[in-house]
Amino acid sequence: MKKLSLLAAVGWLLLAQPAIADDGPQYDPRGTKGCMKCHDVDAQKPIMAIQHTVHAVIADKDSPFAKDNRGCESCHGPSAGHGANLQDDEVRPAPAINFNTSLGLSPVKDREEACLNCHQKQGHVAQWQGSAHEQADVSCTSCHELHTQNDPMLDKKLQAEKCYSCHTNERIDSNRASHHPMKEGLVTCSDCHQVHGSNGPSLLTGFTVNETCYSCHAEKRGPFLWEHEPVTENCLNCHLAHGSNNMRLLKVRSPYLCQSCHMQKGGHDSALNLPGDSKFDQKGCVNCHSSVHGSNHPSGIKRHR
């Protein structure tokens, strides 16, 4: 009798529990197979290429496709209604989190969260919040393409074109006579800029302009016995980073650039008639002052050597 009474008490306790609502968004029980039924290689919006990316590696526990067999819904959210069989007069609802403009974009915050759930934990985008791109409402998929085997942002030859879609002035500069080898595929935007957030100015990879430049131009770092003050202060005092029509990315052709600081001719013979004398070729002052970035020679105070 005691045993029966205990079972009855447990039964009443269970019946007294409030019913759990089950009318919220549901995941498609078919997982990725449900999506591939419509989005195969012959579909208007194929997504098969994602199977060849790191996002679809089921053996990797951190990949979206490895999470509870949810596949595409790991990023798109519970979207059973999107993949359901509909009548002819029914309109197919968009996925819970939509990255496609044709179906109506989800808010930037929702799209960001879908990516940050994984990538922020892994430290890939630790400084994204508060960065220049985040404040400009740039979402991850504004730059990255996930339903393709080769994301342009990870390709040195294609990345710049994606950046130029917003940064049009930089596109113009990169086509000038003197430029970093962007078009040649040897340098790309992320070599200098940390697009997901940075402690430096203009999202630079270094804390300063000079530190960023020195990552490639180490011979200009010094320290030098005879330093050139504008050089140690900021490379951009003399150079245009993205491109120039003057040699070596200079802002102004030498000797005009030098004379923007060195107004006096000093010990130069007035017959030289600086600048503009035919004795000076395109190098100008650097014909004699060859160690313009600094000199370690005991007699290099004038940076002649």
Side-chain angles (χ1 to χ4, degrees), residues 70-303:
R70 289 176 180 173
C72 307
E73 291 175 295
S74 295
C75 299
H76 287 281
S79 307
H82 178 70
N85 294 323
L86 304 178
Q87 301 297 326
D88 294 338
D89 57 342
E90 290 184 293
V91 178
R92 187 170 299 280
I97 302 174
N98 187 35
F99 304 90
N100 195 313
T101 53
S102 63
L103 294 176
L105 283 171
S106 296
V108 172
K109 183 179 180 181
D110 294 341
R111 285 180 280 147
E112 274 186 8
E113 187 176 354
C115 301
L116 295 178
N117 280 337
C118 293
H119 290 284
Q120 195 165 46
K121 294 175 183 177
Q122 296 167 4
H124 298 162
V125 291
Q127 294 179 299
W128 175 255
Q129 272 86 4
S131 68
H133 282 129
E134 196 265 347
Q135 291 183 13
D137 280 343
V138 176
S139 71
C140 307
T141 51
S142 298
C143 303
H144 293 281
E145 295 181 13
L146 304 184
H147 293 154
T148 180
Q149 189 170 351
N150 298 310
D151 182 1
M153 292 303 294
L154 304 180
D155 190 320
K156 273 199 169 186
K157 293 183 178 180
L158 301 177
Q159 182 188 112
E161 281 300 317
K162 180 65 76 171
C163 297
Y164 291 155
S165 63
C166 292
H167 301 281
T168 53
N169 288 336
E170 283 67 26
R171 179 197 294 275
I172 295 171
D173 290 341
S174 70
N175 285 307
R176 298 189 187 279
S178 178
H179 59 268
H180 279 104
M182 306 277 286
K183 296 185 293 184
E184 294 77 8
L186 301 178
V187 175
T188 193
C189 307
S190 59
D191 289 332
C192 300
H193 297 279
Q194 174 49 268
V195 295
H196 296 125
S198 165
N199 291 321
S202 300
L203 293 177
L204 290 176
T205 55
F207 287 105
T208 64
V209 172
N210 283 24
E211 284 299 317
T212 303
C213 297
Y214 293 154
S215 64
C216 290
H217 304 282
E219 74 283 2
K220 306 295 191 298
R221 180 188 295 272
F224 295 108
L225 179 62
W226 307 106
E227 292 184 334
H228 194 185
E229 288 78 4
V231 175
T232 58
E233 181 184 272
N234 193 327
C235 301
L236 298 181
N237 285 335
C238 300
H239 298 279
L240 293 171
H242 295 105
S244 168
N245 283 328
N246 302 298
M247 64 180 298
R248 301 184 183 278
L249 296 172
L250 291 177
K251 296 170 72 173
V252 183
R253 177 181 170 179
S254 177
Y256 299 100
L257 177 65
C258 301
Q259 288 191 322
S260 64
C261 292
H262 302 281
M263 302 297 292
Q264 301 295 328
K265 295 180 181 179
H268 292 107
D269 190 335
S270 60
L272 290 176
N273 193 27
L274 292 175
D277 190 270
S278 59
K279 297 177 183 179
F280 283 80
D281 63 10
Q282 193 179 13
K283 289 185 178 179
C285 306
V286 186
N287 280 323
C288 300
H289 304 277
S290 55
S291 298
V292 68
H293 290 97
S295 173
N296 279 322
H297 195 281
S299 300
I301 189 171
K302 299 294 186 182
R303 298 167 193 89

Side-chain angles (χ1 to χ4, degrees), residues 6-81:
L6 181 61
L7 290 174
V10 171
W12 280 109
L13 183 62
L14 291 175
L15 289 174
Q17 296 297 317
I20 299 176
D22 195 26
D23 55 353
Q26 299 294 314
Y27 287 96
D28 193 327
R30 298 170 297 177
T32 305
K33 293 181 180 179
C35 302
M36 298 303 177
K37 182 179 179 181
C38 297
H39 295 279
D40 59 9
V41 291
D42 299 322
Q44 184 179 2
K45 298 184 183 301
I47 60 172
M48 294 292 288
I50 199 172
Q51 298 280 10
H52 301 281
T53 70
V54 295
H55 288 100
V57 180
I58 299 178
D60 181 3
K61 63 180 179 61
D62 293 325
S63 73
F65 277 34
K67 294 181 178 179
D68 301 323
N69 194 34
R70 289 176 180 173
C72 307
E73 291 175 295
S74 295
C75 299
H76 287 281
S79 307

